[in-house]
Amino acid sequence: MKYYITAFLMLFTTAILAQNLEGTVINSSNQPLEYVGVFNKVTGKYSRTDATGSFTLPKTSAEDSIYFSSLGYKTKLLIISPDNLNKKLVTEMEESSISLEQIVLVSEVNALSQLVGVDTQIDPVKSSQEILRKVPGLIIGQHAGGGKAEQIFLRGFDVDHGTDVAISVDGMPVNMVSHAHGQGYADLHFVIPETIENLDFGKGPYYSDKGNFNTAGYIDLQLKKTLNKNQISLEAGQFNSKRLVGMFNLLESDNNNAYIASELSLSDGPFDSPQNFNRINIMGRYNYNLRGNQELTVTASHFQSKWDASGQVPQRAIDRGLIGRFGAIDDTEGGKTSRSNLLFNHKKKIDENSMVKSKAFISQYNFELYSNFTFFLEDPVNGDQIRQKENRVIVGAESVFERKNIDLGSDIEFKYASGIGFRYDDVDDVELSSTLNRETTLDQISLGDVDEVNTYAFLNTQFKMGKWTLNPALRLDHFKFDYLNKLSNTYDNQSESKFAFSPKLNTIYSVNRSWQLFLKSGIGFHSNDARVVVANNGKSILPAAYGVDLGTIIKPIDKLALNASLWSLFLEQEFVYVGDAGIVEPSGKTNRLGLELGARYQAWDWLYLYSDINYTYARSTEQPNGQDFIPLAPDLTSSGGIVVNGLGNYSGGLTYRFVDDRPANEDNSIVAEGYFVTDLNINYNRKNWSFGVIVENLLNTEWNETQFATESRLFNESNAFEEIHFTPGIPFYIRGKVSVTF
């Protein structure tokens, strides 16, 4: 009897002492740390710090073991004392090298993004193109002289320049709606790679705070708030390539800081006709901690670029000896573009469990591109060169209220985030014209003004019940499309509007702090081009995407992480607008089934290995068997590498990317050839100096970066031919880099 009484008293005492543990996590400079995982090993409860470094861990008792973990910091174990429960805890994290051991897989809908964060931190991007390649399964291709946005491929999509991947920078959208060169055009070249703090991404249409173009997935680049040190770096290499980067602290104090970063890039490329590529970036960032637990971050940036391009070339011209692999049929292609941004991010902590996050932005954007895809097919005398041009202003704002640690009883924890926002695109003189030698305008095919407004609201909820996490969410979007046709003899302004309703439901089962099972489901959409919308009288304005993911992420040991998922995505409309030809291409329903596998292994503190392999079966559902291939949809891709970091004074990596052969047209009679390319970088660090060598295409592989099945006619041909037209991938390309921090 005495034993039972003692046990009862112990349980009763524990229940009384169990309460919310509140605290703040800081670094050695007394700055708050965001996204630090706080995990109770005894109860399995989990929390993360907010922008002010604060956290609340429910139902914590004396003698509980609490783990604090964050990338770039040593995992810290704290045994809770009774005093810890009676006051606000302040925990200081100690910096360390990046390691997989710092990742906890508990109740996170986007745990894979955390794992890939290790890749990004251990092996930072070295060029603008590399930014997107960090997403497992995503491949890119450049085919217009380095200044045009890259072509994107993900989950069996030829995303073109962004139709099915929503891309943003600190919440500011990058994708351009109703763009002169195609829907969703996403040019990330205004981002300086060295300013990137983190790469947040998610695959599939499962995230209520992501709207337009979030079908195959989303990517949000998060920039550094502060600089640890000033930095100057210089790169120089083959093809008359040079790159200069400078990053400098302007202001440092307890409550505010500011820095400026700039980049200048020059290159002629490997082509017979020099690209004459140049790009300049400048960015300034100011961060201020206001009274009343508020934070304001102001970011201003400007980017401009111009280039010449050799364009895609037909295989037959090379086979006949008319040009070499790096030659051109029309070497007067190219363009220029610029973007200026002003972004405000504000966070207000109301209390320990409530916060308001707001953002507002304005962008001025200009674009002009000259292309020639068919050579002399349409105009046998002057050729088929076209100009696409526009001037755009984007204005938007969003405000989100977050509430966490709501106790619903029966061991159910609840939190939610609700937000509203809008985006307005004012696009003047969206032009498609026939031109000659980039100088003479032969004919204006289309010219008009686009006004497009997207207003939206979303609610994201999360219920935690023991090891289960349920994440039901809703999103409502409204679009208003206006197009003024300036080539009409009479006033011709047309307008359409529509709502999109996008429910989501994600379920996570956390076996323990190192193993997660998940089932994600949801509806997303991509909007159609305003010119297509009004031309089709509002049909297929917002075609929906229906997705399901079933998978797992597991760390069988602290130094090994594995992930696997089976997924399906059904799309109501595959293609929308062919900007290169100024026509509406018939579209149809498609279905994709895929398998994704990934592995990351921290062999030693200084040696990190990772690899991802992705397979997709992509078909049109409205075409007969054998005629249902989706052109350029990749089926098998893989990427990975071996990274050395902190081996004495040395660091570096050997990485690869693989793309299998894929159909280039609907019946697979024309095939886009696959490739396997390896890159190498080696760095030697001594005190505040770093010396490096970067080699792209180490094995000098002959590969095609972008490929299209195109019907074209050369100047001396009487008939047209349809075959592969491609931009050759860069050959062996070496450059050196030296940088200094101070």
Side-chain angles (χ1 to χ4, degrees):
M1 184 67 180
K2 182 178 180 181
Y3 168 80
Y4 292 109
I5 293 175
T6 302
F8 174 78
L9 289 174
M10 290 178 63
L11 290 172
F12 181 73
T13 303
T14 301
I16 292 176
L17 293 178
Q19 55 187 281
N20 289 345
L21 176 67
E22 297 180 352
T24 304
V25 182
I26 59 175
N27 60 17
S28 58
S29 301
N30 203 35
Q31 296 296 316
L33 293 178
E34 191 174 6
Y35 303 123
V36 177
V38 186
F39 176 74
N40 188 324
K41 185 179 180 181
V42 177
T43 65
K45 299 296 183 182
Y46 178 77
S47 181
R48 295 186 76 178
T49 59
D50 59 26
T52 65
S54 300
F55 71 90
T56 300
L57 190 64
K59 299 184 179 179
T60 305
S61 304
E63 305 303 322
D64 282 356
S65 299
I66 309 298
Y67 286 91
F68 296 84
S69 59
S70 181
L71 275 181
Y73 294 89
K74 289 183 179 179
T75 299
K76 189 167 187 174
L77 172 62
L78 179 66
I79 306 299
I80 298 300
S81 68
D83 288 342
N84 296 142
L85 296 172
N86 296 324
K87 63 181 180 181
K88 191 171 183 178
L89 187 68
V90 178
T91 304
E92 182 178 323
M93 300 286 283
E94 181 181 350
E95 291 187 18
S96 71
S97 57
I98 305 294
S99 172
L100 274 176
E101 299 173 80
Q102 298 158 357
I103 298 293
V104 176
L105 302 175
V106 180
S107 304
E108 293 293 334
V109 174
N110 253 352
L112 182 59
S113 185
Q114 292 185 58
L115 288 179
V116 176
V118 180
D119 303 357
T120 306
Q121 297 296 328
I122 288 181
D123 186 27
V125 294
K126 291 164 283 296
S127 69
S128 296
Q129 286 186 316
E130 270 195 276
I131 296 171
L132 296 179
R133 285 185 187 144
K134 289 294 183 180
V135 177
L138 189 150
I139 59 174
I140 60 171
Q142 176 58 254
H143 58 100
K148 183 179 173 184
E150 280 75 30
Q151 191 176 2
I152 303 171
F153 302 87
L154 179 66
R155 283 201 159 183
F157 278 88
D158 171 10
V159 182
D160 196 19
H161 301 289
T163 56
D164 291 278
V165 177
I167 301 176
S168 58
V169 176
D170 275 327
M172 179 179 68
V174 177
N175 304 76
M176 300 288 181
V177 297
S178 305
H179 188 270
H181 188 64
Q183 182 70 335
Y185 186 89
D187 186 352
L188 263 177
H189 293 139
F190 67 89
V191 177
I192 302 172
E194 287 83 354
T195 64
I196 297 174
E197 178 72 24
N198 188 38
L199 174 68
D200 177 38
F201 72 90
K203 297 183 183 181
Y206 312 126
Y207 317 97
S208 64
D209 59 334
K210 313 298 179 185
N212 199 7
F213 307 118
N214 175 211
T215 55
Y218 80 87
I219 299 168
D220 183 36
L221 299 181
Q222 297 165 354
L223 305 181
K224 295 178 179 177
K225 289 184 180 179
T226 61
L227 299 181
N228 292 329
K229 295 180 180 179
N230 302 319
Q231 176 182 330
I232 298 176
S233 66
L234 173 66
E235 295 178 21
Q238 289 177 276
F239 315 128
N240 199 25
S241 298
K242 303 176 184 66
R243 181 172 180 263
L244 177 65
V245 175
M247 301 172 65
F248 308 98
N249 278 309
L250 302 179
L251 178 65
E252 289 183 280
S253 70
D254 291 339
N255 292 324
N256 55 84
N257 57 77
Y259 72 88
I260 190 170
S262 60
E263 174 193 39
L264 174 65
S265 295
L266 308 169
S267 181
D268 285 337
F271 299 91
D272 296 344
S273 298
Q275 291 180 333
N276 299 313
F277 167 75
N278 69 75
R279 178 175 68 235
I280 185 168
N281 280 330
I282 186 167
M283 184 194 80
R285 193 149 227 227
Y286 174 67
N287 190 67
Y288 182 51
N289 293 317
L290 301 156
R291 291 182 179 179
N293 290 321
Q294 298 184 70
E295 179 187 68
L296 175 66
T297 303
V298 182
T299 309
S301 64
H302 175 73
F303 141 84
Q304 63 184 47
S305 177
K306 65 177 183 178
W307 65 95
D308 298 325
S310 295
Q312 291 91 248
V313 295
Q315 184 64 50
R316 66 184 184 278
I318 298 171
D319 295 340
R320 296 173 188 173
L322 301 177
I323 59 173
R325 267 185 62 82
F326 294 94
I329 302 299
D330 182 354
D331 63 359
T332 65
E333 297 184 50
K336 60 182 179 180
T337 186
S338 66
R339 179 168 179 166
S340 300
N341 306 298
L342 184 60
L343 170 65
F344 298 89
N345 291 94
H346 177 260
K347 298 178 181 179
K348 164 67 174 177
K349 184 176 180 180
I350 300 173
D351 55 39
E352 292 300 324
N353 296 310
S354 303
M355 176 177 288
V356 175
K357 297 180 180 179
S358 300
K359 66 182 179 187
F361 57 86
I362 182 170
S363 295
Q364 169 66 54
Y365 172 81
N366 298 289
F367 175 86
E368 184 175 7
L369 179 69
Y370 293 85
S371 308
N372 190 342
F373 302 101
T374 54
F375 312 125
F376 293 93
L377 179 66
E378 303 295 336
D379 188 339
V381 177
N382 299 303
D384 299 344
Q385 187 180 90
I386 59 172
R387 176 177 64 230
Q388 294 164 309
K389 188 176 181 180
E390 69 167 56
N391 302 299
R392 177 186 302 252
V393 175
I394 311 171
V395 180
E398 179 185 275
S399 189
V400 180
F401 175 75
E402 297 180 352
R403 176 75 177 172
K404 61 182 181 180
N405 296 321
I406 302 173
D407 191 350
L408 298 182
S410 301
D411 200 32
I412 300 176
E413 298 170 38
F414 175 65
K415 68 177 182 179
Y416 70 90
S418 58
I420 57 172
F422 80 94
R423 169 180 170 172
Y424 169 55
D425 286 68
D426 178 12
V427 197
D428 293 331
D429 299 324
V430 186
E431 176 189 354
L432 175 64
S433 297
S434 298
T435 57
L436 175 64
N437 296 327
R438 208 162 153 179
E439 293 289 339
T440 306
T441 301
L442 301 175
D443 179 43
Q444 283 190 319
I445 301 171
S446 65
L447 179 68
D449 295 341
V450 172
D451 288 280
E452 188 168 327
V453 183
N454 173 206
T455 54
Y456 59 87
F458 64 86
L459 174 64
N460 190 63
T461 65
Q462 181 174 294
F463 299 84
K464 292 182 66 176
M465 299 162 288
K467 295 183 177 183
W468 291 91
T469 300
L470 297 180
N471 173 217
L474 298 172
R475 182 181 177 94
L476 182 65
D477 286 83
H478 178 263
F479 281 81
K480 178 72 183 305
F481 304 87
D482 286 283
Y483 180 64
L484 174 63
N485 182 4
K486 290 188 172 182
L487 297 184
S488 176
N489 293 326
T490 60
Y491 180 74
D492 183 9
N493 186 77
Q494 296 175 284
S495 178
E496 297 287 347
S497 62
K498 192 169 185 179
F499 283 94
F501 180 64
S502 307
K504 333 273 184 178
L505 177 59
N506 303 312
T507 304
I508 301 170
Y509 180 73
S510 300
V511 181
N512 52 48
R513 64 191 296 264
S514 300
W515 188 7
Q516 172 191 112
L517 304 169
F518 60 82
L519 175 62
K520 301 179 182 180
S521 61
I523 301 175
F525 67 92
H526 62 191
S527 68
N528 220 319
D529 187 288
R531 292 160 288 184
V532 180
V533 168
V534 298
N536 289 348
N537 297 317
K539 295 180 180 178
S540 300
I541 291 180
L542 305 173
Y546 303 83
V548 177
D549 266 59
L550 173 64
T552 185
I553 304 175
I554 184 172
K555 292 176 64 181
I557 58 176
D558 281 344
K559 294 187 176 183
L560 175 64
L562 306 172
N563 66 276
S565 64
L566 286 166
W567 60 270
S568 172
L569 189 66
F570 174 78
L571 195 63
E572 286 184 341
Q573 184 188 58
E574 181 71 17
F575 301 114
V576 286
Y577 179 73
V578 184
D580 300 334
I583 62 172
V584 180
E585 183 176 90
S587 57
K589 298 178 175 64
T590 58
N591 192 45
R592 290 169 169 82
L593 301 172
L595 171 66
E596 298 178 342
L597 303 172
R600 281 153 180 80
Y601 180 49
Q602 192 91 46
W604 289 282
D605 289 343
W606 54 270
L607 183 61
Y608 180 74
L609 302 90
Y610 69 98
S611 182
D612 295 282
I613 185 167
N614 311 271
Y615 175 76
T616 303
Y617 178 84
R619 293 292 187 271
S620 170
T621 63
E622 298 181 323
Q623 300 299 324
N625 188 36
Q627 304 289 323
D628 56 351
F629 291 89
I630 301 175
L632 300 178
D635 51 12
L636 182 62
T637 66
S638 181
S639 62
I642 302 172
V643 181
V644 173
N645 188 29
L647 181 60
N649 294 330
Y650 292 93
S651 63
L654 178 66
T655 60
Y656 78 89
R657 57 189 184 275
F658 166 77
V659 180
D660 199 8
D661 294 348
R662 59 193 191 276
N665 59 354
E666 288 80 358
D667 63 4
N668 200 24
S669 60
I670 303 177
V671 176
E673 294 183 359
Y675 57 81
F676 182 92
V677 177
T678 56
D679 300 328
L680 173 71
N681 72 90
I682 302 173
N683 302 287
Y684 175 75
N685 305 296
R686 183 173 178 83
K687 295 183 178 179
N688 60 326
W689 288 88
S690 177
F691 305 90
V693 176
I694 302 168
V695 182
E696 295 186 37
N697 195 359
L698 176 66
L699 304 179
N700 199 26
T701 301
E702 187 176 284
W703 63 293
N704 298 335
E705 186 162 9
T706 57
Q707 303 175 72
F708 304 89
T710 304
E711 183 182 14
S712 67
R713 182 168 62 181
L714 302 180
F715 181 72
N716 59 349
E717 291 180 330
S718 57
N719 298 313
F721 295 88
E722 184 180 20
E723 64 172 347
I724 286 293
H725 292 54
F726 67 90
T727 299
I730 197 164
F732 179 90
Y733 171 34
I734 186 171
R735 60 190 188 271
K737 179 178 180 178
V738 58
S739 62
V740 59
T741 58
F742 55 94

